Amino acid sequence: MKPWAPRSLTVRLALLFALATLLTFTLVGSYLYYSLARQLESHDDQELLGKITLMQHLVGKAGSVQAIRNDPHPFMDAALGHNDLLLILRTADGAPLLDTQPAAGNLPLLPLTAVDQTPDRKSRQNLRTSAGMPVRATALWGRIDRTGEQVQIIVAHNVSDSLAMLDSYRQQILGAALSGALLAALLGYVLVRRGLRPTRLIAQQAHSITAQRLDLGLDVASAPDELQQLVLAFNGMLDRLHESFQRLSQFSADLAHDLRTPINNLMVQTQVALAQPRSTEEYQGLLVSNVEEYERLARMLDNMLFLARADNAHVAVTREQLDCSQELQRIADYFEGVAEDSGVRLVISGSGNLYADPMLLRRAIGNLVANAIRYTPAGQAIRLEAQQQAQGSSILISNPGPQITEAAIPRLFDRFYRADPARSDSASSAGLGLAIVQSIMKLHGGQVELSRSADQQTVFTLYFPNQGT
């Protein structure tokens, strides 16, 4: 915003109203002013043409130039009663014959219209006499019918009154324009302030919204039509903030719970060991147990760091063309021992290529396979399947096992969330695996979905778009 610009929207609109009114009044006033000036000028021209035609007629009836000099009364009588009219007659060589108002001063040289022509617009000029009198004048040649002698006829009209009228009119227009602009500014301020009253009501409602009352929202019905979209967008932002605050609160609680368990284990085991002297083997067992808890904490912190970096796009993604079958076989080989210990089989099907970061791809599939092994009953099989599509490739990991409730599905990819409220498996899982899978898919511009197949298999689908899509 410019330093001189008013910060108040009401004041700004009021000034704009004033400026628009001033501009309108000025344009209309200017039009009326020049229209009046043209009318006055046209009136003066008609009078000039009438008088100069009369003088031309009188010159034609005169006996001679000397007769005009000896008896100018017919010409003076024609100008009688017209105090604002100047009549000057001169001989062909410029010698003066008659000047009805010598006190007005001399006129500059004027172009003379021929005897048989009517003075055109160019021959009618606005001038000032040597005494400073403003006049509108014209001149033509007159010819005495009897002798053929020519006479210069100059007629001028004093326009001082017209100029004074125009000046007064101009001052009135200026005063009206300024007064109208001031009135428009005052009325505009009042009307705009009244018109913006709904925005102040919205602001009052917004002031009552706090971090603990994000679910209140703004009243859409009370907002004008022009502001309803803004109110709806603001309410949508509040809903997202409310959801984020709730997730953040739940995240803090889950984080505290998951960190408390290994720390409590470390503290209790260490306190028990220190309560009385122990043998070397007992101390070694304690250290081994502590190392397991430390490793668990390290994995948790590593996963949390990965998620934080992924959220802020600080994870470098190096994509390349990968063979789906080879990548799935590599995952199956890595989990072969764990699957045998759990009594489950890994079945691979499908082929094709996908465009992804190999390390992130293996981490995402590995998290899903590890999760599937944990919940698949012994003797059953986990299927890893690759599918090619027009715009990308999909990896499907399906397994039988306990069904996930509909209420748990929307939050299944939240951090530290477990579908089991009792957290019975918290020792082996921190609840970050699926959140990491979702972050990896976002980094690839893809998505992860959970569904149930016709044979009641739990199916996780990883969709990777093709290069450039």
Side-chain angles (χ1 to χ4, degrees):
M1 182 182 295
K2 297 180 179 179
W4 49 265
R7 297 181 62 85
S8 171
L9 181 60
T10 304
V11 174
R12 190 181 304 180
L13 290 176
L15 292 178
L16 290 176
F17 287 151
L19 180 61
T21 303
L22 180 61
L23 181 61
T24 302
F25 279 20
T26 301
L27 292 176
V28 173
S30 299
Y31 171 78
L32 295 176
Y33 174 82
Y34 288 109
S35 177
L36 177 61
R38 286 195 299 271
Q39 290 180 9
L40 292 175
E41 186 179 90
S42 176
H43 180 269
D44 291 340
D45 287 348
Q46 290 177 4
E47 187 173 356
L48 283 176
L49 291 176
K51 288 300 180 183
I52 205 166
T53 301
L54 176 60
M55 295 306 166
Q56 189 179 36
H57 175 73
L58 293 176
V59 167
K61 297 301 181 182
S64 64
V65 172
Q66 187 61 36
I68 297 174
R69 180 180 290 113
N70 294 335
D71 185 16
H73 290 92
F75 297 94
M76 297 178 66
D77 292 341
L80 188 65
H82 298 277
N83 296 328
D84 55 352
L85 188 67
L86 285 72
L87 172 61
I88 299 174
L89 299 179
R90 296 173 182 164
T91 62
D93 56 1
L97 291 176
L98 175 66
D99 189 347
T100 58
Q101 296 192 33
N106 298 322
L107 285 172
L109 292 177
L110 290 168
L112 292 166
T113 304
V115 175
D116 298 331
Q117 297 181 4
T118 302
D120 57 11
R121 185 175 182 83
K122 291 182 179 180
S123 66
R124 302 189 292 270
Q125 299 181 7
N126 291 318
L127 306 170
R128 284 190 177 270
T129 66
S130 59
M133 177 187 294
V135 296
R136 186 164 178 81
T138 188
L140 56 69
W141 288 102
R143 183 171 56 198
I144 299 175
D145 295 338
R146 181 178 299 179
T147 63
E149 296 174 288
Q150 290 189 344
V151 176
Q152 297 181 21
I153 305 173
I154 303 170
V155 178
H157 185 267
N158 184 357
V159 294
S160 299
D161 293 341
S162 297
L163 293 179
M165 180 189 300
L166 289 174
D167 184 66
S168 175
Y169 191 64
R170 183 170 57 249
Q171 297 298 327
Q172 292 177 11
I173 290 176
L174 181 59
L178 294 177
S179 301
L182 180 60
L183 180 61
L186 294 176
L187 292 178
Y189 183 85
V190 174
L191 295 177
V192 171
R193 184 171 178 81
R194 183 176 181 85
L196 292 179
R197 185 171 178 270
T199 61
R200 292 193 294 275
L201 296 178
I202 292 175
Q204 293 177 1
Q205 296 178 22
H207 279 303
S208 64
I209 299 174
T210 63
Q212 291 75 31
R213 304 173 65 185
L214 290 175
D215 57 333
L216 290 180
L218 301 178
D219 185 9
V220 180
S222 64
D225 293 341
E226 295 80 3
L227 296 179
Q228 285 189 358
Q229 292 298 322
L230 178 62
V231 172
L232 290 173
F234 186 80
N235 286 342
M237 179 189 69
L238 289 178
D239 292 339
R240 293 190 296 272
L241 287 176
H242 182 57
E243 182 180 358
S244 297
F245 270 110
Q246 287 183 328
R247 290 188 176 183
L248 182 61
S249 299
Q250 185 64 43
F251 171 79
S252 300
D254 291 338
L255 178 61
H257 181 278
D258 283 276
L259 288 176
R260 182 179 60 186
T261 301
I263 292 176
N264 283 341
N265 291 340
L266 291 170
M267 290 177 58
V268 171
Q269 293 175 4
T270 304
Q271 289 172 354
V272 172
L274 295 176
Q276 59 183 358
R278 305 289 179 178
S279 64
T280 302
E281 291 76 10
E282 290 175 325
Y283 283 124
Q284 289 177 343
L286 173 63
L287 293 176
V288 171
S289 177
N290 288 351
V291 167
E292 293 177 355
E293 297 296 341
Y294 290 138
E295 290 176 348
R296 181 185 170 197
L297 286 172
R299 288 194 302 270
M300 185 185 302
L301 294 176
D302 179 68
N303 290 336
M304 290 173 58
L305 178 61
F306 175 85
L307 291 172
R309 294 176 61 197
D311 288 344
N312 292 279
H314 291 162
V315 176
V317 180
T318 305
R319 304 184 190 185
E320 55 185 77
Q321 202 76 17
L322 301 175
D323 183 271
C324 296
S325 178
Q326 291 182 2
E327 293 300 324
L328 294 181
Q329 186 60 51
R330 182 180 284 107
I331 295 295
D333 294 341
Y334 179 81
F335 283 97
E336 182 179 3
V338 179
E340 290 180 356
D341 292 341
S342 300
V344 299
R345 294 178 293 108
L346 299 177
V347 180
I348 299 174
S349 62
S351 61
N353 298 319
L354 58 80
Y355 186 63
D357 184 296
M359 298 303 297
L360 296 180
L361 170 69
R362 294 161 193 167
R363 185 167 188 175
I365 299 177
N367 285 354
L368 293 177
V369 171
N371 197 58
I373 292 175
R374 186 178 302 115
Y375 293 104
T376 300
Q380 300 292 327
I382 299 173
R383 298 187 178 277
L384 284 70
E385 181 181 359
Q387 294 182 355
Q388 293 294 311
Q389 300 172 4
Q391 299 297 324
S393 304
S394 296
I395 300 295
L396 286 71
I397 296 93
S398 59
N399 69 288
Q403 294 189 10
I404 301 174
T405 62
E406 294 294 332
I409 291 178
R411 295 197 56 199
L412 198 63
F413 295 95
D414 291 350
R415 300 171 188 182
F416 294 107
Y417 179 77
R418 300 184 185 84
D420 181 10
R423 302 175 183 269
S424 58
D425 199 26
S426 63
S428 58
S429 172
L432 295 174
L434 294 181
I436 291 176
V437 172
Q438 186 179 55
S439 296
I440 291 175
M441 297 310 299
K442 288 182 178 179
L443 290 173
H444 284 82
Q447 59 186 6
V448 55
E449 295 180 352
L450 170 63
S451 61
R452 297 289 294 183
S453 63
D455 56 352
Q456 298 303 308
Q457 296 269 331
T458 300
V459 182
F460 284 91
T461 303
L462 305 179
Y463 173 74
F464 294 87
N466 288 333
Q467 183 178 2
T469 60

